[in-house]
Amino acid sequence: MQEGERLTPSSTCPAAAAVPGRRRLPEGPAEGGAMSASSRRWMLLLCRALGQAAASMEKAVVRAIPSEAKLTISLSLSGSHRQLQRDQSEPLGKALARISASATKSKKRKEPPAPGPPVRLLFHGQPVPEAAPNAEAWQDGAELLVGNLVYRVERNPPTCHSLGLPRHIMAGFPLCPRLSLEFADPERSPCVWYKQAPAEAGGSPEKPTEQEWVEAGHERVYVPAVGDIGLRLKLRCTPGDGERLGESRELQVEGPVEAGPGACTFDQRHLYTQRPAEEPVTRAVSYNLLADVYAQTEHARTVLFPYCAPYALELEYRHCLIRKELSGYRADLLCLQEVDRTVFSDSLAPALEAFGLDGVFRLKDKQHEGLATFYRRSRYRLCSQHDVLLGEALTGDPLHRPLLEQLSRYPAAKEKVLQRSSALQVSVLQSTTDPSRKICVANTHLYFHPKGGNIRLIQIAVALTHIRHVAYELYPGIPIIFGGDFNSTPSTGMYSFVRDGTIPEDHEDWMSNGEEERCNMSLSHPLKLKSACGEPAYTNYVGGFHGCLDYIFIDSENLEVEQIIPMPGHEEVTSHQALPSVSHPSDHIALVCDLKWK
């Protein structure tokens, strides 16, 4: 099959019948019957004939959204493509008159317009009344007659507006297309992958041997094999809604498939997550992905991560690893930090959607990165979101008035807290199998500075008060899972405050940045939280520092730990000196655990 050739159904008649404008064919023999070879050939020929007949007919595509005032009619008139926008409430007769006038428009403006051809709209062979409003008149399957031309009307057909593929592709790493669909369901939009067949010997520069495309897979996600190294890939996607198929889009990957880096730090961890968790167990992950806005700087290359090969810091390379790592955990809940805004929409969300996960994003204040929470849509649906910026919440929400009054006694510390862009993402999810069961999933990334222990204490106090409001007042009694990069080791006040529920006013962290920013106060919270993954030796390993900064805190009264996925071995982490590396995409390590309702 040559590039650009239309795909035609090659196996079953219903597939052809599903294409817009094609009439449906008999379903075939009754249950238990068998179709003979001659009957199968006849059905196949009929399907192809109908498909070719439908493809040869002109189309008038109507895009009509109930919430929009206008609809758009797209068709080819007088050799050029036209798009006519009409009020949905306008009588059909006016739209037909406009089409007639457009069909006779002269390219030379000085020429007087010729009389337009008669234009009619038929549905099931009957004229549609010209007094009918456009919103009702233009039905899928209707026929538009413009003089001697007949157009097949397609109302809101499944459409693929754009198709995107990563530039960097490695053998053994999943390749997930970015689809921009309208009136289509990704799960009902067939994808066909092709790879170039190896060139035959005998070609010459004057007469090169032509390479052919051969089918390589029919799933939305394609994992290039070692045998694909050096070959180019191509994807054809046909948007569908379960009943109709739209026009296919095709895209070729820019470069050939490359060899992978070999063993990655997460390969052994995937052995523990080969199967998804089953009710009543939920698999949770918390992971700082290392935002590209921080990785792609001269400071990162020369100071923060000088040991990392420059190509391994590039976004396309790192996200090859991230897609494989995250998909291999088969998580039900993902709390991700340092997610670039464009990465979420252009790469991460489309990739994880292909693996059954939906996500929500929260941008930090005046930043290009933020927080992302994903959930498996077969297990959960999103009930509500309660995201806040911690500084804004402290001054603007009455919930935090007691804390604000205490902090106001320390102007320098207060100003520092309010300058920070840290956010808290809170999502309430409902079980798809048991609607009575809900869960509060919180996600945050606290202030990073080594001397900012006092700031982190204020931030976590705001976060815990907000979470308590959601889980104790808005949805009384629902369990809490609180993941994030807390930038605090187990020896800090932040960690002991979360775990123990109190922090005394004489704790040394209130003086973490000296006397000027001192803000001694006594705080408490009622949540019963514990670290589900314990206290690993480190979750962040860079040149000059390693320590445990990330946690998944869980409601110990309602949840228990079923399994903790072991961290990668020290030899794996340090095989390229530190993180990130060619075998690990971030300077942090993901926390993964299976949780169970008590």
Side-chain angles (χ1 to χ4, degrees):
M1 182 180 294
Q2 299 301 317
E3 185 174 1
E5 182 182 346
R6 283 186 63 86
L7 284 177
T8 55
S10 59
S11 57
T12 61
C13 184
V19 178
R22 299 179 184 174
R23 64 183 177 87
R24 292 197 177 276
L25 301 174
E27 295 296 331
E31 185 176 357
M35 183 182 291
S36 66
S38 60
S39 298
R40 191 179 297 111
R41 285 195 298 271
W42 177 83
M43 293 289 280
L44 176 58
L45 290 172
L46 182 56
C47 284
R48 288 180 173 172
L50 287 174
Q52 291 167 1
S56 66
M57 185 184 294
E58 292 281 358
K59 292 187 300 182
V61 176
V62 177
R63 183 182 182 276
I65 308 296
S67 60
E68 297 179 1
K70 295 181 179 294
L71 55 73
T72 303
I73 306 168
S74 304
L75 71 167
S76 179
L77 289 171
S78 303
S80 62
H81 186 75
R82 305 287 174 84
Q83 281 194 331
L84 302 119
Q85 284 199 332
R86 311 302 299 177
D87 287 338
Q88 298 220 39
S89 59
E90 174 191 67
L92 170 65
K94 289 189 176 182
L96 297 182
R98 184 69 181 86
I99 293 172
S100 177
S102 297
T104 56
K105 272 191 175 180
S106 172
K107 294 182 180 178
K108 297 180 180 179
R109 295 180 181 273
K110 294 182 180 180
E111 293 183 5
V119 179
R120 292 184 299 159
L121 185 66
L122 306 179
F123 190 59
H124 294 319
Q126 300 298 316
V128 179
E130 294 193 0
N134 282 323
E136 300 175 5
W138 297 92
Q139 295 298 316
D140 190 62
E143 291 182 337
L144 175 68
L145 281 61
V146 182
N148 295 324
L149 291 176
V150 180
Y151 296 82
R152 183 179 76 253
V153 174
E154 296 184 2
R155 181 185 176 109
N156 296 343
T159 304
C160 181
H161 290 296
S162 65
L163 180 62
L165 289 169
R167 291 175 298 172
H168 199 99
I169 302 173
M170 295 190 295
F173 290 77
L175 182 55
C176 308
R178 182 177 68 254
L179 305 176
S180 177
L181 301 176
E182 188 175 37
F183 314 121
D185 182 349
E187 295 181 358
R188 292 176 171 84
S189 299
C191 289
V192 182
W193 292 91
Y194 300 88
K195 61 182 177 182
Q196 284 182 320
E200 297 181 3
S204 65
E206 296 78 17
K207 190 177 181 180
T209 302
E210 186 174 328
Q211 287 189 319
E212 294 184 353
W213 292 99
V214 297
E215 290 190 10
H218 296 82
E219 300 294 332
R220 184 171 165 192
V221 177
Y222 180 70
V223 182
V226 173
D228 295 337
I229 294 175
L231 302 180
R232 293 184 181 274
L233 301 177
K234 182 173 68 173
L235 172 65
R236 179 172 292 176
C237 177
T238 307
D241 60 7
E243 295 183 357
R244 303 178 296 170
L245 294 175
E247 290 292 326
S248 298
R249 266 191 178 266
E250 191 174 274
L251 183 64
Q252 182 176 326
V253 178
E254 289 186 16
V257 177
E258 301 176 9
C264 291
T265 54
F266 45 79
D267 289 340
Q268 291 296 314
R269 307 186 81 191
H270 285 172
L271 298 178
Y272 296 87
T273 59
Q274 290 180 336
R275 295 181 179 179
E278 298 180 358
E279 292 279 7
V281 176
T282 288
R283 183 166 298 147
V285 172
S286 184
Y287 197 6
N288 181 323
L289 297 184
L290 176 58
D292 187 57
V293 69
Y294 305 140
Q296 286 296 304
T297 63
E298 187 64 23
H299 183 67
R301 288 188 289 268
T302 59
V303 179
L304 297 179
F305 316 121
Y307 47 82
C308 184
Y311 74 86
L313 284 175
E314 293 179 0
L315 180 64
E316 290 284 353
Y317 181 88
R318 292 198 303 116
H319 272 265
C320 276
L321 273 62
I322 287 172
R323 284 192 296 272
K324 183 175 183 179
E325 180 175 8
L326 293 181
S327 63
Y329 291 140
R330 294 174 175 82
D332 301 304
L333 302 171
L334 285 171
C335 294
L336 305 178
Q337 305 86 42
E338 286 197 28
V339 179
D340 296 272
R341 175 172 50 190
T342 54
V343 165
F344 176 84
S345 58
D346 295 347
S347 175
L348 195 60
L352 293 179
E353 192 275 333
F355 288 106
L357 296 158
D358 289 335
V360 290
F361 179 71
R362 174 70 208 204
L363 189 68
K364 290 181 181 177
D365 186 31
K366 301 176 183 178
Q367 299 289 322
H368 296 285
E369 53 92 4
L371 307 166
T373 297
F374 286 86
Y375 54 92
R376 187 164 299 282
R377 58 179 171 271
S378 63
R379 297 282 306 272
Y380 295 102
R381 73 170 187 88
L382 182 65
C383 282
S384 58
Q385 292 177 255
H386 308 271
D387 305 345
V388 293
L389 296 172
L390 296 177
E392 283 187 5
L394 176 60
T395 57
D397 192 331
L399 280 172
H400 310 293
R401 185 171 296 137
L403 176 61
L404 181 61
E405 290 174 354
Q406 290 195 69
L407 183 60
S408 296
R409 294 180 295 165
Y410 307 99
K414 177 183 176 181
E415 181 181 2
K416 191 73 166 287
V417 170
L418 298 182
Q419 288 175 348
R420 305 280 67 81
S421 61
S422 304
L424 172 70
Q425 192 176 36
V426 180
S427 307
V428 176
L429 304 176
Q430 182 180 45
S431 169
T432 57
T433 57
D434 182 359
S436 66
R437 178 171 287 177
K438 296 181 178 69
I439 191 167
C440 175
V441 181
N443 182 18
T444 197
H445 185 188
L446 300 186
Y447 182 47
F448 74 94
H449 199 281
K451 294 183 179 180
N454 60 334
I455 307 303
R456 287 187 286 275
L457 274 170
I458 300 299
Q459 289 183 333
I460 196 65
V462 175
L464 294 174
T465 299
H466 186 74
I467 293 170
R468 179 197 58 76
H469 172 65
V470 174
Y472 283 29
E473 297 174 8
L474 299 183
Y475 297 89
I478 66 173
I480 298 166
I481 297 177
F482 187 13
D485 175 359
F486 295 84
N487 275 309
S488 305
T489 64
S491 63
T492 60
M494 195 291 312
Y495 183 80
S496 62
F497 178 47
V498 174
R499 181 193 59 194
D500 301 335
T502 61
I503 187 80
E505 62 179 347
D506 60 350
H507 194 283
E508 60 182 0
D509 276 8
W510 293 121
M511 288 274 291
S512 60
N513 201 26
E515 178 65 29
E516 184 179 351
E517 287 186 11
R518 178 180 64 85
C519 51
N520 298 84
M521 58 185 77
S522 177
L523 301 176
S524 64
H525 70 84
L527 308 182
K528 306 298 182 184
L529 300 175
K530 71 174 183 179
S531 174
C533 296
E535 302 171 6
Y538 50 78
T539 60
N540 176 248
Y541 199 107
V542 295
F545 173 82
H546 63 272
C548 179
L549 303 178
D550 306 82
Y551 307 94
I552 299 176
F553 292 112
I554 64 169
D555 180 353
S556 60
E557 292 187 329
N558 295 293
L559 297 170
E560 61 184 359
V561 180
E562 180 81 0
Q563 175 187 212
I564 301 173
I565 307 305
M567 302 288 278
H570 186 67
E571 297 78 11
E572 296 174 285
V573 174
T574 57
S575 60
H576 299 280
Q577 187 174 337
L579 305 178
S581 70
V582 296
S583 62
H584 192 86
S586 174
D587 56 337
H588 286 251
I589 301 170
L591 295 173
V592 189
C593 61
D594 288 352
L595 306 173
K596 185 178 181 181
W597 265 262
K598 286 186 176 180

